[in-house]
Amino acid sequence: MSVTSAARPRTRRKEPRARFTTGEIVSMVVLTALVAVVAFPVLYALLNSFRGYADITRDPMGLPTSFSLDNYVRLFQDTDYGEAVLNTLIITVVTIVLLLAVVPMAAYGIERIGGRLSRVIYLFLIAGLMIPFQVRMIPLVKGMNEVGLYSTLTSVILVHLGASASFGILLYCSFIKTVPVEVEEAAYMDGAGPLRTFWSIVFPMLLPVTSAFVIIQALLLWNDFFIPLVFLDSTSAGTINVAINRMVGLLTSRWELVYTGAILAVIPSVIIFMAFQRYFIKGMAIGAVKG
């Protein structure tokens, strides 16, 4: 072998470029179509939030000629949207805090005490998932009115607690079954009581399911429309979705403010999901394996 041929660097063979299979192409086309279907209403509302009422009614599919924040300023000046946002925030935060204070301990008691009574209580709570809210609506409205809670945020919070507790019990019970009892027995031997054992030992181990539960409930509470509409009358500003619904009238509708309010209502949901997405996916994946 000559020196020239020995010193010559070896050239790497170019590997053939992997081609997409038919299944991958179909999957990408379907995914692109789904993204377009989901994104179009949001993009449409965003563009119309910068247009005036006359432009929207004259050409609903037109594009904004300028990007002004006048609609966003008028939304808070001319409507009760600011108070509605505050009401929605109060309902969401208070309900989530009460659910976390009650539901995990209730599920822990059901799983650890055991016995026929615990099973009856569990089935009774789970039965709430099988009864539509429309069946319970009229008795709940009548009961809230009799105790003087109708058209208050307290009534909405209580109804949400009853509606969400069943799902929380189902979710937490399936997770608590996987928590080893030996960890709790060691805490008891160290002198810890039941409450301290739960909040210091068991509850931190339920972080994945807690994250998934909080995200699901926060999104449902923030975007809920029907329960606030039923339990808050016209004297209240209502919640975000109720306030937006009141902008749509029989003869005239303030479409530029409707689109603006809808965009502002979407932003917190997107932020919550993007911030806790990995916890949500982790919690649901663990739930699928452990459940």
Side-chain angles (χ1 to χ4, degrees):
M1 180 181 296
S2 62
V3 178
T4 306
S5 61
R8 183 181 301 168
R10 296 180 179 180
T11 58
R12 294 182 179 180
R13 291 183 178 181
K14 294 184 178 180
E15 298 181 357
R17 183 180 180 182
R19 296 180 179 179
F20 293 107
T21 63
T22 304
E24 291 175 341
I25 295 175
V26 173
S27 299
M28 287 189 293
V29 171
V30 173
L31 182 61
T32 303
L34 290 176
V35 170
V37 170
V38 173
F40 174 76
V42 180
L43 181 61
Y44 179 77
L46 178 62
L47 293 176
N48 281 324
S49 67
F50 297 104
R51 304 176 68 198
Y53 174 80
D55 294 334
I56 295 175
T57 53
R58 182 174 58 252
D59 185 12
M61 301 301 297
L63 297 176
T65 57
S66 62
F67 292 91
S68 174
L69 298 178
D70 291 342
N71 290 337
Y72 291 88
V73 175
R74 289 179 50 227
L75 179 65
F76 290 93
Q77 291 180 347
D78 301 346
T79 66
D80 295 331
Y81 191 83
E83 184 178 351
V85 171
L86 180 60
N87 291 341
T88 306
L89 184 63
I90 293 174
I91 292 173
T92 302
V93 173
V94 173
T95 304
I96 291 295
V97 171
L98 292 178
L99 285 173
L100 292 182
V102 175
V103 171
M105 284 196 300
Y108 178 74
I110 291 174
E111 288 299 325
R112 287 298 182 257
I113 295 176
R116 183 176 298 178
L117 180 60
S118 295
R119 184 53 49 184
V120 171
I121 295 174
Y122 175 77
L123 294 176
F124 177 78
L125 293 172
I126 296 303
L129 295 173
M130 308 174 188
I131 303 175
F133 173 74
Q134 289 77 4
V135 177
R136 300 170 289 166
M137 180 178 64
I138 296 178
L140 284 173
V141 171
K142 184 178 180 181
M144 292 295 178
N145 190 35
E146 290 179 353
V147 298
L149 293 178
Y150 180 73
S151 192
T152 62
L153 299 183
T154 303
S155 64
V156 179
I157 292 173
L158 291 176
V159 173
H160 275 304
L161 284 175
S164 303
S166 300
F167 173 71
I169 292 294
L170 177 65
L171 198 61
Y172 274 100
C173 282
S174 63
F175 271 74
I176 293 176
K177 290 179 182 178
T178 64
V179 176
V181 183
E182 292 78 11
V183 178
E184 303 167 37
E185 293 177 349
Y188 290 141
M189 294 180 63
D190 292 338
L195 286 177
R196 184 178 179 182
T197 300
F198 174 77
W199 290 112
S200 301
I201 306 299
V202 178
F203 188 73
M205 301 175 67
L206 302 177
L207 181 60
V209 64
T210 301
S211 302
F213 181 63
V214 168
I215 294 173
I216 293 173
Q217 293 304 319
L219 295 178
L220 290 176
L221 292 168
W222 185 266
N223 297 314
D224 184 48
F225 169 72
F226 191 66
I227 292 178
L229 179 66
V230 172
F231 287 90
L232 297 177
D233 58 21
S234 58
T235 60
S236 172
T239 57
I240 291 177
N241 291 325
V242 174
I244 294 175
N245 179 69
R246 290 174 181 173
M247 299 177 194
V248 181
L250 181 62
L251 299 177
T252 59
S253 301
R254 310 173 72 176
W255 293 114
E256 74 281 10
L257 300 184
V258 170
Y259 292 125
T260 304
I263 290 299
L264 292 179
V266 168
I267 292 176
S269 301
V270 175
I271 294 175
I272 291 174
F273 186 79
M274 291 182 63
F276 300 98
Q277 181 180 8
R278 62 190 184 97
Y279 299 105
F280 174 77
I281 296 176
K282 181 180 178 182
M284 297 306 293
I286 295 177
V289 175
K290 293 185 177 181

